[in-house]
Amino acid sequence: MEFAKPNSIIIKGMGYYVPEKVVTNDDIAQIVDTSDAWIYERSGIRRRHVSEGESASDMAVKSARAALEEANLSASDIDLVIVTTVTPDMMFPSTACLVQAKLGIRNNIPCFDLEAACTGFVYGMEVATSMMQSGKYKNALVISSERLYPILNPTDRSTCFLFGDGSGAAVLSCSDEPGVGIIGNVLGADGAATAVLKIPAGGSLMPTTEQTVKDGLHYLQMDGREIFKNAVRIMQEKALDVLDLCGVKAEDISLLIPHQANIRIIETVAKRLKIPSQKVYVNIEEYGNTSSASIPIALSQALKSGRIHSGDYVLLVAFGAGLTWGATLIKWQ
Ligand code: ACO
């Protein structure tokens, strides 16, 4: 079906879901040689929520239902489903198709997964927005859902404390009001840096064998220092790029929602952008890094706690494996 081309694409509803089970730093210190104090000081993380059997699609369905409720829409109003994840339920079919079936969304619409690691939600917003600007899709679900805990090597103390599970979802809708909603988006990638964060086995390059499992190659591997350095530089640059693109100054930002990877990365980026800490949304202490779900979880919480008002500029900045990066500027409707 073709609709009139919209003047704007707005976020009509947000929702999030995190599993109940909590793993504390002290729990992790029972397994590897570390401490709550070391983890908190180096990362800002105290706890993470961990799925007890719920898959990415199970969590996606819960966050999507919450977003639909907030948008006052039902599954039958949705024309497009994008799920961003590095932990799909299966290699195929896509998690988006599983979510479509579980939510009872009609079957003559596109549903697909998008993989851009921690930048997934920002990529997903750009893809959905561009498709919706064609006038073919009125309401889209962009859902980010990650079950990361099982891909962490429980005996690798340099990675096992960083990540947690969860899901965040946005309902994007066309609006006749010009100049509101998602007003700018910049994306990028550097495929020369694929080695700094990866899972080596389980794909077509190195299919799973008894040996790959014995060698722990199905677990996430990361060069933490290299990521830290790149994340700080690129997140600052991309935030400035999207502000430039939209003719908005950093001082006009009401709320910065950065990818929740490490409190020291977040604080350094905010400082370089001269955005004061009270305008930066941080929840890493409770959830750790939930990859692509981290920004929509934070955005959903920020809305629920009344931190976003009509006319506010909200800046999302993300960075992840690939490398990938992106920044989105929203003028709240
Ligand atoms: N407990 C105690 N000591 C530890 C631990 C631990 N859990 N992990 C590492 N160490 C030790 C190291 O062995 C090292 O010891 P050494 O000096 O004797 O060799 C020492 O602590 C310092 O290690 P570094 O790796 O230099 O520690 P750093 O200050 O860089 O902090 C961290 C590590 C927290 C992983 C940091 O590099 C980081 O956050 N990097 C970014 C990673 C990230 O955000 N990844 C998320 C995925 S990508 C994304 O989402 C954008």
Side-chain angles (χ1 to χ4, degrees):
M1 213 194 307
E2 293 267 348
F3 308 104
K5 286 199 173 125
N7 288 323
S8 301
I9 310 295
I10 59 166
I11 296 179
K12 205 161 180 189
M14 290 293 310
Y16 77 97
Y17 171 78
V18 287
E20 245 173 65
K21 185 182 173 189
V22 167
V23 173
T24 65
N25 291 345
D26 288 332
D27 295 331
I28 288 175
Q30 309 274 321
I31 302 165
V32 292
D33 181 16
T34 189
S35 65
D36 175 51
W38 192 96
I39 295 174
Y40 187 65
E41 196 218 307
R42 298 293 176 114
S43 69
I45 300 166
R46 285 252 192 239
R47 290 172 290 275
R48 66 288 296 144
H49 290 241
V50 173
S51 159
E52 292 181 285
E54 284 183 303
S55 68
S57 76
D58 293 331
M59 293 188 283
V61 163
K62 290 186 175 170
S63 66
R65 284 208 174 107
L68 282 166
E69 196 180 323
E70 197 177 280
N72 210 12
L73 293 176
S74 65
S76 58
D77 296 311
I78 295 300
D79 312 300
L80 166 68
V81 179
I82 300 176
V83 172
T84 81
T85 185
V86 291
T87 50
D89 283 27
M90 300 172 240
M91 290 276 269
F92 66 85
S94 72
T95 303
C97 287
L98 298 169
V99 169
Q100 176 201 24
K102 288 181 184 182
L103 284 174
I105 291 174
R106 66 203 154 86
N107 63 10
N108 57 341
I109 63 156
C111 299
F112 60 93
D113 286 3
L114 184 159
E115 202 272 87
C118 303
T119 320
F121 184 71
V122 173
Y123 265 62
M125 298 261 280
E126 168 71 351
V127 173
T129 303
S130 305
M131 289 176 75
M132 293 169 83
Q133 274 158 351
S134 70
K136 281 195 197 165
Y137 311 96
K138 222 171 185 171
N139 300 299
L141 263 173
V142 179
I143 315 166
S144 301
S145 195
E146 307 281 9
R147 187 182 182 191
L148 298 161
Y149 215 62
I151 63 167
L152 304 178
N153 183 341
T155 63
D156 176 4
R157 71 172 182 170
S158 65
T159 55
C160 68
F161 64 90
L162 279 170
F163 300 87
D165 303 337
S167 177
V171 173
L172 268 51
S173 295
C174 293
S175 166
D176 292 335
E177 192 184 344
V180 292
I182 296 146
I183 58 170
N185 208 315
V186 294
L187 301 179
D190 177 8
T194 47
V196 299
L197 187 52
K198 63 177 184 209
I199 296 180
S204 60
L205 178 68
M206 198 189 293
T208 309
T209 62
E210 212 173 305
Q211 195 58 45
T212 63
V213 174
K214 244 185 218 157
D215 295 341
L217 298 174
H218 56 301
Y219 289 131
L220 175 149
Q221 296 180 352
M222 179 185 82
D223 180 342
R225 282 184 205 181
E226 204 46 38
I227 292 197
F228 196 101
K229 238 173 33 199
N230 280 294
V232 167
R233 179 180 56 81
I234 293 173
M235 284 169 83
Q236 178 201 4
E237 265 175 34
K238 298 309 135 190
L240 291 174
D241 284 355
V242 81
L243 289 172
D244 250 14
L245 183 75
C246 300
V248 172
K249 295 195 181 74
E251 68 222 45
D252 297 326
I253 296 301
S254 303
L255 193 62
L256 169 67
I257 303 186
H259 170 48
Q260 310 281 310
N262 182 311
I263 190 67
R264 292 182 296 141
I265 294 176
I266 294 172
E267 285 174 353
T268 311
V269 170
K271 200 166 155 199
R272 290 188 183 178
L273 291 170
K274 299 194 177 68
I275 295 179
S277 60
Q278 63 272 22
K279 290 185 173 182
V280 184
Y281 197 88
V282 178
N283 63 11
I284 191 169
E285 182 171 340
E286 180 64 28
Y287 304 114
N289 180 347
T290 55
S291 190
S292 69
S294 95
I295 286 182
I297 290 173
L299 179 55
S300 180
Q301 291 184 328
L303 271 169
K304 281 182 207 330
S305 59
R307 286 188 67 175
I308 300 175
H309 306 99
S310 180
D312 279 358
Y313 285 111
V314 179
L315 175 59
L316 317 179
V317 193
F319 177 89
L323 300 175
T324 56
W325 54 78
T328 302
L329 188 62
I330 303 165
K331 185 174 185 193
W332 212 264
Q333 65 275 7

